[in-house]
């Protein structure tokens, strides 16, 4: 799980960075600043994001018990936090390791439709509050969440609550 930034630092252990390496380093520092800005936006908007998701989920599936809804949203808050940290570190493997735990919990047959809708509403909300550059940075991590927690096995059918 070594980042490009760490690779450049290791390269500089035995010599000063050459001009091309220095340019790569500057790009990594700039990318880190962009990722940090996005991380802060997610942190600062977390409550708003999940209030919107909860409201939409309640409208679509009013039959979900309140305790189940709260439990699911709490887990999804953690999932988004892991995605944000993985994005900040530029470490997709970090997210995948964290998702292994949640996959066991969230991929239950009786939760598939709820997970699908939470993920859908989360993506919609993120599109409305983040700018295009931020969405591009976060998208690979959201896609991994979708793949590991929401996507359907070929042998199972997803019943969408909408």
């Amino acid at each position: 799980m070594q980042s490009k930034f760490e690779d450049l630092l290791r390269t500089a252990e035995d010599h000063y960075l050459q001009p091309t390496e220095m340019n790569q380093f500057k790009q990594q520092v700039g990318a880190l600043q962009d990722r940090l800005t996005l991380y802060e936006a997610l942190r600062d908007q977390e409550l708003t994001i999940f209030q919107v998701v909860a409201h939409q989920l309640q409208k679509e599936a009013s039959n979900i018990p309140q305790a189940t809804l709260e439990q699911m949203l709490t887990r999804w808050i953690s999932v988004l936090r892991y995605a944000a940290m993985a994005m900040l570190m530029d470490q997709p493997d970090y997210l995948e390791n964290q998702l292994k735990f949640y996959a066991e919990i969230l991929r239950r047959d009786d939760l598939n439709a709820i997970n699908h809708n939470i993920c859908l509403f989360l993506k919609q909300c993120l599109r409305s509050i983040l700018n295009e550059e931020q969405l591009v940075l976060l998208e690979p991590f959201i896609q991994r969440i979708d793949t590991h927690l929401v996507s359907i096995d070929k042998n199972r059918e997803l019943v969408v609550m909408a």
Side-chain angles (χ1 to χ4, degrees):
M1 283 196 345
Q2 189 167 311
S3 70
K4 295 172 193 168
F5 190 74
E6 290 171 317
D7 288 340
L8 286 168
L9 291 175
R10 290 203 191 338
T11 299
E13 287 179 354
D14 63 352
H15 68 277
Y16 284 105
L17 295 176
Q18 299 302 312
T20 57
E21 294 168 327
M22 186 63 81
N23 286 337
Q24 290 174 343
F25 190 81
K26 288 177 183 177
Q27 288 173 346
Q28 289 301 313
V29 169
L32 179 59
Q33 182 59 47
D34 294 342
R35 292 191 311 267
L36 184 57
T37 300
L38 172 54
Y39 180 88
E40 289 172 332
L42 291 170
R43 180 199 63 198
D44 295 345
Q45 296 288 330
E46 181 182 79
L47 181 60
T48 303
I49 291 167
F50 281 96
Q51 283 176 334
V52 169
V53 170
H55 179 70
Q56 289 178 314
L57 193 59
Q58 286 176 326
K59 281 184 357 187
E60 292 292 324
S62 57
N63 60 335
I64 300 172
Q66 187 67 27
T68 301
L69 178 65
E70 289 174 8
Q71 188 178 51
M72 294 295 293
L73 290 172
T74 300
R75 289 178 179 149
W76 275 89
I77 287 169
S78 295
V79 167
L80 182 60
R81 287 176 182 173
Y82 287 129
M85 182 56 71
M87 177 275 312
L88 177 62
M89 297 184 310
D90 196 19
Q91 294 288 334
D93 291 340
Y94 170 80
L95 178 60
E96 291 204 14
N97 289 334
Q98 299 303 321
L99 292 178
K100 288 176 187 175
F101 169 75
Y102 282 97
E104 295 295 318
I105 297 169
L106 294 175
R107 289 198 78 181
R108 291 186 0 219
D109 287 337
D110 60 326
L111 300 177
N112 276 344
I114 298 170
N115 283 322
H116 174 78
N117 282 339
I118 291 174
C119 191
L120 177 70
F121 299 146
L122 178 61
K123 288 177 190 179
Q124 290 171 353
C125 188
L126 291 172
R127 275 194 230 83
S128 71
I129 65 167
L130 300 177
N131 65 42
E132 191 62 36
E133 293 82 22
Q134 291 172 324
L135 286 170
V136 168
L137 283 174
L138 191 59
E139 177 58 31
F141 300 94
I142 297 299
Q143 183 60 43
R144 285 176 188 254
I145 291 170
D146 200 10
T147 300
H148 285 80
L149 299 182
V150 180
S151 293
I152 311 139
D153 292 339
K154 292 178 182 167
N155 299 330
R156 296 191 300 188
E157 183 179 329
L158 175 65
V159 178
V160 179
M161 293 183 292

